[in-house]
Amino acid sequence: GPAQEDGASAGGDVKREGLVFYDLGHGTGKAVVCTALLHGHGRTLRACRGIELLQPLVAASYEALAEYRQVIEGARHLYGEDDTRCEVSLVAGDILAGASGEGEGAGEGAGEGAGEDEGDREAGVEGGDEGEEVDGAPIWAVEGDIVFANSTCFTADLMQKIAKKCAHMKPGAQIITLTRPLDSPHLEMRHECQFAMSWGPATAFFHVRI
């Protein structure tokens, strides 16, 4: 389906200051929405974006985004008007592939949605399609200042491919993974710590592009 975005995303004429957050395999969209509520809207982040391959999860994330819109519309005194809000978008796509679907592997896992055609992938928002490649790099690696991957269920092969794409990240950009660290000569692990998740404890690894 088409990309789902908040009203601010359509206002491409406004250049906002701040960092860009990406969630690789955004699932039901909770991390993207919560990050926007806590750190967007005149705070640290100017945009929060997610990419998800599996269509049932994509559909669920669009419901979460609809609820998010209702919240901010009902609290303009907190979140501002459309042209000052944090951009939020959730798209259907492969975190490794370009918009054409030509990538190195199937997103965060094989199965439902892996065979979707190009028409089912995301529509463009400001800065290009979330799954689009820029000089061979996925857009999250080019644009992202803070990238998160709930990688507990990611395969070793997928982690290697994500690590390879991190070579395109800007110096100083951060990527956070769960359970599995990334092995790349372009990344330095700065910190690791354990958090209590809904499914149990998980170790978070904080990497910085060097």
Side-chain angles (χ1 to χ4, degrees):
Q4 296 288 309
E5 57 195 56
D6 68 358
S9 299
D13 294 333
V14 179
K15 181 64 176 177
R16 300 170 185 81
E17 295 183 357
L19 304 177
V20 177
F21 170 84
Y22 271 90
D23 186 358
L24 307 185
H26 69 244
T28 60
K30 291 180 181 178
V32 174
V33 167
C34 289
T35 300
L37 287 171
L38 292 171
H39 302 289
H41 307 294
R43 299 178 179 88
T44 304
L45 302 174
R46 69 174 176 85
C48 293
R49 297 169 179 161
I51 308 169
E52 175 59 53
L53 179 68
L54 302 182
Q55 288 301 317
L57 295 179
V58 171
S61 73
Y62 291 170
E63 293 179 7
L65 184 55
E67 292 184 21
Y68 161 83
R69 289 170 176 163
Q70 290 180 348
V71 169
I72 62 173
E73 284 299 323
R76 287 175 176 264
H77 60 291
L78 293 176
Y79 301 112
E81 300 301 320
D82 289 354
D83 61 352
T84 61
R85 291 180 189 160
C86 177
E87 299 173 15
V88 178
S89 63
L90 301 171
V91 300
D94 187 326
I95 61 176
L96 298 176
S100 66
E102 296 175 357
E104 299 180 65
E108 61 272 22
E112 297 174 274
E116 64 184 353
D117 59 29
E118 183 176 348
D120 289 332
R121 293 185 180 274
E122 67 273 10
V125 295
E126 183 182 33
D129 291 354
E130 250 70 3
E132 184 181 351
E133 291 189 4
V134 177
D135 294 330
I139 196 67
W140 59 263
V142 176
E143 287 190 347
D145 298 292
I146 303 172
V147 179
F148 172 71
N150 186 343
S151 53
T152 298
C153 295
F154 286 10
T155 64
D157 180 63
L158 178 55
M159 293 297 285
Q160 290 175 359
K161 290 173 179 176
I162 293 173
K164 180 180 178 181
K165 297 296 186 182
C166 290
H168 299 281
M169 295 178 74
K170 66 189 79 172
Q174 302 176 52
I175 180 165
I176 305 161
T177 60
L178 295 185
T179 306
R180 303 166 181 264
L182 294 168
D183 183 11
S184 168
H186 303 288
L187 297 175
E188 178 180 287
M189 181 132 59
R190 294 285 177 87
H191 185 60
E192 65 177 271
C193 59
Q194 195 171 82
F195 292 94
M197 302 296 180
S198 60
W199 64 89
T203 302
F205 298 91
F206 297 78
H207 314 76
V208 175
R209 174 68 167 88
I210 55 177

